[in-house]
Amino acid sequence: MTDLTKLTMAEARDGLKKKSFSALELTDAFLAAIDAANPALNAYVLETPEHARAQAKESDKRIAAGQARPLEGLPIGNKDLFCTNGIRTTACSKILDDFKPPYEATVGQNLWDAGAVMLGKLNNDEFAMGSSNETSAFGNVVSPWRRKGADGKLSDDKLVPGGSSGGSSAAVAADLCLAATATDTGGSIRQPAALTGTVGMKPTYGRCSRWGIVAFASSLDQAGPIAKTVRDSAIMLRSMASYDAKDTTSVDAPVPDYEAAIGKGVKGLRIGIPKEYRVDGMSAEIQKLWDEGIAWLKAAGATIHEISLPHTKYALPAYYIVAPAECSSNLARYDGMRYGLRVNGDNLTDTYEKTRAAGFGKEVRRRILIGTYVLSAGYYDAYYLKAQKVRTLIKRDFDQAWDKVDVVLTPTTPSPAFAFGEKSGDPLAMYLEDIFTVTVNMAGLPGMSVPAGFSSQGTPLGLQLIGKPFDEETLFRTAQVIEDAAGRFSVPAKWWMKG
């Protein structure tokens, strides 16, 4: 039997259907891989082997009875931002301590109802605030990728897996799950996918329910999958997406069969190339990758059109006003009174202060302070209100672009994966990691990162596709062309298995 953990989700689905192996055998293979790799990678903050095996046994019974559901017996990882009924959920923050929710996030429930098996909870930046997975209370997630030196040998530098969904991207890249849930507030699905050679899909705002997801910035947060391939991403999103009456931002619209879009090609599609994304200081290898992506789509029958998104230059500063403002409001609920950590003080106010000081990490505290400042009486109009007006202009830019093009193609990140500590001491340098991704969240659009090439040091680079609202199908069609041209990426050496 081949190494089951190397299978794609589609291949594993077919193998289970043919009874080439059982759901329990598949689950045990992943649990063994996690035991071997997680001490080095720190992708999982909680392993749930008993829970996973129970789900797998139930799946084997359903498969034997001819009652298989769409994701029957397929093992996945679940980002620790998704509430899991009776299973610890912390958003990777000390302030949630040993919180065990009495309910399941809607996205998670959809996946379990479809037959998926949960292997455990995945590491992420604390409250999803970060671009490198260096802010988690459980410690850094280490990318399974390593840089190559001039001699072709792997360096010992530990690279970031991107963030905030770094645990998800690292686990998928290292074959520690078939796919994983993730969330994207300003690029936290697409950026880690780009840095780890995986496929990251951020759906249209409202496509997936936010109910039961620990909130960061409610008008920006959206759930989506990180997967090994474009097809696997389509399979995952079909089950994750749904209308949910419990989420007032959920959109009541049919969920298409995204997998059916795979292979339809791009002949006749109009691809937009925004001139504003050719930013100063962009590396030559990122520019070359972008040019290659344009050539691939043109060769496949698409037409290429330069477009202008003039308010793009304001997107990052506007985002870093809107997101902290919403974070400040959402995180006010963590006061030590109802759940999670409590550090007793001399009085109520002292308890609040001590609890929040002990429970929140440095980056979370920074964003709460920024958000509280821009929402204060003297600065609301000057900062928050103005940022919301800019957000409207960003959305208008895209609305006008859709008259001319069907899809927008850009780089996903301005640089390849970097080493731990390389940018964490400079918040502005870290925030610039989101320069190509935040416009998608500000406008509520679907966006997708596809592995497309390698840096000069042998680490993955991604291309980003941006689509019209609720037109994820066209993104899957286009992404498949890029994937076919670039090939599927896999980590060249499992260095974490040494010893």
Side-chain angles (χ1 to χ4, degrees):
M1 189 180 293
T2 58
D3 184 354
L4 296 180
T5 65
K6 288 189 173 296
L7 296 175
T8 67
M9 178 170 271
E11 291 167 346
R13 180 185 61 183
D14 293 345
L16 288 170
K17 192 179 297 183
K18 294 175 183 175
K19 296 185 173 60
S20 301
F21 45 82
S22 68
L24 184 58
E25 287 172 327
L26 184 63
T27 298
D28 279 337
F30 278 105
L31 291 173
I34 294 168
D35 285 343
N38 207 55
L41 300 181
N42 197 31
Y44 283 87
V45 296
L46 181 70
E47 297 170 41
T48 55
E50 296 83 4
H51 183 81
R53 289 190 179 105
Q55 288 180 313
K57 289 175 183 177
E58 176 62 26
S59 287
D60 281 331
K61 290 178 183 178
R62 283 180 167 271
I63 292 168
Q67 299 172 349
R69 297 164 291 182
L71 301 182
E72 200 68 72
L74 300 177
I76 65 172
N78 199 10
K79 185 175 180 178
D80 197 34
L81 222 61
F82 291 80
C83 287
T84 39
N85 190 0
I87 297 173
R88 191 188 74 193
T89 303
T90 69
C92 294
S93 177
K94 291 179 182 178
I95 206 158
L96 272 169
D97 199 24
D98 195 33
F99 176 58
K100 293 183 177 69
Y103 52 85
E104 193 81 27
T106 298
V107 164
Q109 192 63 58
N110 289 347
L111 291 168
W112 319 141
D113 289 345
V117 171
M118 187 179 82
L119 296 167
K121 303 299 289 290
L122 292 163
N123 207 340
N124 52 258
D125 279 306
E126 184 181 7
F127 283 103
M129 297 179 199
S131 301
S132 62
N133 226 135
E134 292 177 273
T135 72
S136 170
F138 293 99
N140 302 341
V141 178
V142 179
S143 172
W145 290 84
R146 288 274 176 95
R147 292 169 174 157
K148 287 183 181 177
D151 58 1
K153 294 182 179 179
L154 297 178
S155 77
D156 291 330
D157 292 343
K158 291 182 178 179
L159 302 180
V160 305
S164 66
S165 305
S168 299
S169 67
V172 173
D175 297 325
L176 305 186
C177 56
L178 289 172
T181 61
T183 62
D184 193 310
T185 305
S188 288
I189 290 174
R190 291 158 289 150
Q191 186 254 14
L195 299 191
T196 56
T198 53
V199 177
M201 161 57 85
K202 180 261 172 198
T204 309
Y205 184 78
R207 176 62 89 183
C208 292
S209 172
R210 291 185 302 106
W211 196 85
I213 300 174
V214 179
F216 164 13
S218 301
S219 74
L220 300 165
D221 298 342
Q222 185 61 194
I226 291 180
K228 296 181 181 182
T229 67
V230 173
R231 183 178 295 275
D232 288 359
S233 181
I235 293 169
M236 278 285 285
L237 185 58
R238 176 79 186 278
S239 291
M240 291 175 72
S242 69
Y243 169 66
D244 183 6
K246 298 190 294 296
D247 174 7
T248 57
T249 62
S250 176
V251 175
D252 190 0
V255 177
D257 181 0
Y258 297 117
E259 192 178 1
I262 304 295
K264 288 187 175 180
V266 295
K267 190 172 183 179
L269 284 185
R270 302 165 298 168
I271 309 298
I273 309 299
K275 61 183 181 181
E276 289 81 8
Y277 279 62
R278 299 185 190 277
V279 297
D280 293 337
M282 181 190 293
S283 71
E285 56 191 14
I286 297 287
Q287 181 62 62
K288 182 184 176 187
L289 179 79
W290 195 4
D291 291 339
E292 285 181 345
I294 292 169
W296 291 335
L297 295 176
K298 188 174 181 180
T303 57
I304 308 301
H305 306 267
E306 184 176 81
I307 61 170
S308 179
L309 300 170
H311 294 94
T312 293
K313 62 184 176 181
Y314 304 116
L316 198 64
Y319 171 84
Y320 277 103
I321 291 172
V322 173
E326 295 187 15
C327 136
S328 171
S329 176
N330 276 323
L331 270 60
R333 72 192 70 178
Y334 302 105
D335 55 11
M337 295 296 109
R338 288 156 289 189
Y339 46 76
L341 179 72
R342 178 186 293 186
V343 180
N344 290 318
D346 296 333
N347 51 51
L348 183 62
T349 301
D350 194 37
T351 297
Y352 285 163
E353 290 175 351
K354 287 182 176 178
T355 297
R356 291 167 71 81
F360 289 138
K362 183 177 179 181
E363 181 60 29
V364 173
R365 293 200 302 271
R366 178 187 290 121
R367 298 197 193 196
I368 289 172
L369 288 170
I370 293 170
T372 304
Y373 178 80
V374 302
L375 289 175
S376 61
Y379 298 98
Y380 180 90
D381 289 350
Y383 291 103
Y384 184 71
L385 188 60
K386 188 172 287 186
Q388 290 289 28
K389 290 178 178 178
V390 170
R391 184 177 187 175
T392 299
L393 294 175
I394 292 168
K395 183 179 183 301
R396 189 178 301 166
D397 286 347
F398 278 104
D399 289 343
Q400 292 171 353
W402 300 135
D403 293 334
K404 303 172 184 176
V405 299
D406 303 299
V407 180
V408 172
L409 176 72
T410 77
T412 308
T413 61
S415 65
F418 46 93
F420 286 108
E422 202 170 295
K423 299 186 180 183
S424 56
D426 184 352
L428 292 180
M430 187 69 78
Y431 295 168
L432 284 170
E433 277 295 302
D434 300 330
I435 193 168
F436 296 139
T437 54
V438 294
T439 54
V440 172
N441 301 79
M442 294 292 271
L445 299 171
M448 189 172 187
S449 181
V450 193
F454 294 93
S455 72
S456 58
Q457 295 178 314
T459 54
L461 298 171
L463 285 174
Q464 176 179 228
L465 297 165
I466 304 171
K468 299 175 183 177
F470 299 100
D471 190 19
E472 289 86 0
E473 290 168 286
T474 300
L475 294 189
F476 284 118
R477 286 174 58 189
T478 312
Q480 186 63 49
V481 171
I482 295 174
E483 184 178 80
D484 289 344
R488 182 185 157 200
F489 290 17
S490 59
V491 180
K494 291 191 174 183
W495 54 265
W496 59 87
M497 299 292 285
K498 291 179 182 178

